[in-house]
Structures are given as structure tokens and as C-alpha cells.
């Protein structure tokens, strides 16, 4: 199975800060990488698909980039409603696998 | 709009089976597939498998292959996930997510989750 390593596992930032989460695959997955947001007690929500495409209805402060093995996810200006855990997910090779998650908190 | 509505919580004994449903609305059911993802308490996300409502194809993660079955009913636009020989570590929230019809890519809509508790 393809291993997805996310970092950091948690972070704390102020409202308005720019934050970046990284996701590394242990083999080349091209751009077959998605990002999800999971608020506490809720189902995941698709934010970014195919590494850099914004899903429908997702605010433009969210972005993603990368290809191959290294990917980044950025929130350009952190908002209180962004408190959540964020997961990357690869679909290059089955089984689909997820990163371990990054918990984002407000300082 | 797209809705995926899952069945209610379940409590099962070790060794039993559970069947979770996911009723879809707001889109053409047979144009997509459904994946199933679970989340153990305080843990991350784990993909169990995918079933196509388009052609009935399915693909399961190796570790579940011998005890999971995923099906769809195109008349009721409902997907099902049955997990057999339940163990304590199968306790989790089980989510359905809409997928592509012939390949697994991203999950653009999710059900609300079904809590399955395995307890003696």
C-alpha cells in the first residue's frame, strides 16, 4: 500500500495567518491527490482534488499544489470556521490511502 | 442537491455481521459509484472499498476482502456495505462517499456516518 505522511500532525495559528500542510507519498502518485476537511463530529468534506483543483463551493483561500511525491495544502488566511482536521488522500493505486491528518487550531 | 443518508447506529456482538445502508438522492445514481470509509474513535480515515452503481463492479481493500460485501440497489438508489465476523476493533463510524462510476478518485459527497459498536 502507498504510505501517505502528513506533517505537522497538529498546528496552532492565529486568525488571518497563512498555514501550510505537507503530504508526502512513498512513491510517485502523479497528481492523484485529494485534500479533505473534517470538522469535529462531522463527515469529511472534499476541498481539493487532483492536487490543485478547488472543489465546488470551496472558498478560494484554500489551495493545493504538488506532483510526484510531495504535495502542499495552504490556507491563505485562517478563519475561525477552518478549525478542523485535514487529510490528504491518494488514488494512484488501490487501496486508496489517507494521510494521518493534521489538526488545525486557533491560537 | 446531492444527499447521502445512512442508516442508524448499530451495536453488535463479536462474530456478528452488520449491514449499513446509504440512500442517495439528488443525482443519477447509476452515473456514480460509492466508496466506504471508516474512522475508529479518535483515529484517521480508512478506505474499505468501492462499488459501482453504473456496472456493479467492486474493489475491496485486501484486509477486508474476505469479510466485506458492497452492493447497490438501483431501484431504491441505495448502496449497502456488509461487514461479517465483526471484531472489537471494527468499532468505528462508517461513511459512504460518492465516487466516480468506473474508478476510485475523490469523494465529493459524503453520508452523515453510521456508528457501529462491537461489544460483548
Amino acid at each position: 500500500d502507498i504510505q501517505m505522511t502528513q506533517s505537522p500532525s497538529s498546528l496552532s495559528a492565529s486568525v488571518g495567518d497563512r498555514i501550510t500542510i505537507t503530504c508526502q507519498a512513498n512513491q510517485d502518485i502523479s497528481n492523484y491527490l485529494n485534500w479533505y476537511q473534517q470538522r469535529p463530529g462531522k463527515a469529511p468534506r472534499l476541498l481539493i482534488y487532483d492536487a490543485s483543483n478547488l472543489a465546488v463551493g470551496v472558498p478560494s483561500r484554500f489551495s493545493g499544489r504538488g506532483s510526484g511525491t510531495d504535495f502542499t495544502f495552504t490556507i491563505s488566511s485562517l478563519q475561525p470556521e477552518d478549525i478542523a482536521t485535514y487529510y490528504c488522500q491518494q488514488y494512484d493505486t488501490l487501496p486508496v490511502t489517507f494521510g494521518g491528518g493534521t489538526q488545525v487550531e486557533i491560537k | 442537491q446531492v444527499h447521502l443518508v445512512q442508516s442508524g447506529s448499530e451495536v453488535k456482538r463479536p462474530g456478528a455481521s452488520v449491514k449499513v445502508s446509504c440512500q442517495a438522492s439528488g443525482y443519477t445514481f447509476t452515473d456514480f459509484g460509492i466508496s466506504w470509509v471508516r474512522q475508529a474513535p479518535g483515529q484517521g480515515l480508512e478506505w474499505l472499498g468501492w462499488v459501482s452503481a453504473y456496472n456493479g463492479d467492486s474493489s475491496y481493500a485486501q484486509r477486508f476482502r474476505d469479510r466485506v460485501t458492497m452492493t447497490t440497489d438501483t431501484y431504491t438508489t441505495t448502496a449497502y456495505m456488509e461487514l461479517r465476523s465483526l471484531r472489537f476493533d471494527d468499532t468505528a463510524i462508517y461513511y459512504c462517499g460518492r465516487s466516480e462510476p468506473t474508478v476510485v478518485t475523490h469523494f465529493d459527497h459524503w453520508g452523515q456516518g453510521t456508528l457501529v459498536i462491537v461489544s460483548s
Side-chain angles (χ1 to χ4, degrees), chain A residues 28-87:
Chain A
D28 189 333
I29 59 169
S30 185
N31 68 329
Y32 300 145
L33 190 283
N34 307 312
W35 290 94
Y36 298 86
Q37 175 193 65
Q38 187 178 33
R39 292 176 172 138
K42 300 295 186 182
R45 171 196 178 197
L46 177 68
L47 298 180
I48 303 287
Y49 65 96
D50 297 348
S52 61
N53 294 301
L54 207 61
V56 172
V58 174
S60 59
R61 65 180 180 275
F62 297 100
S63 64
R65 61 183 298 166
S67 67
T69 61
D70 295 301
F71 302 85
T72 59
F73 170 82
T74 297
I75 306 176
S76 61
S77 177
L78 188 67
Q79 300 300 304
E81 61 267 31
D82 299 337
I83 299 310
T85 301
Y86 294 83
Y87 294 93

Side-chain angles (χ1 to χ4, degrees), chain B residues 25-90:
Chain B
S25 62
Y27 71 96
T28 302
F29 185 65
T30 50
D31 283 351
F32 292 88
I34 294 287
S35 274
W36 290 88
V37 174
R38 76 179 188 181
Q39 186 169 38
Q43 301 301 308
L45 303 169
E46 181 178 29
W47 182 78
L48 285 79
W50 160 89
V51 60
S52 172
Y54 170 70
N55 59 14
D57 283 353
S58 61
S59 180
Y60 305 138
Q62 176 68 39
R63 64 182 298 235
F64 299 106
R65 198 160 291 165
D66 60 345
R67 60 189 189 103
V68 73
T69 303
M70 297 176 187
T71 56
T72 60
D73 182 333
T74 57
Y75 294 101
T76 61
T77 66
T78 301
Y80 296 93
M81 187 281 301
E82 182 181 34
L83 188 62
R84 301 176 293 278
S85 301
L86 288 168
R87 309 188 283 244
F88 293 118
D89 63 358
D90 289 320

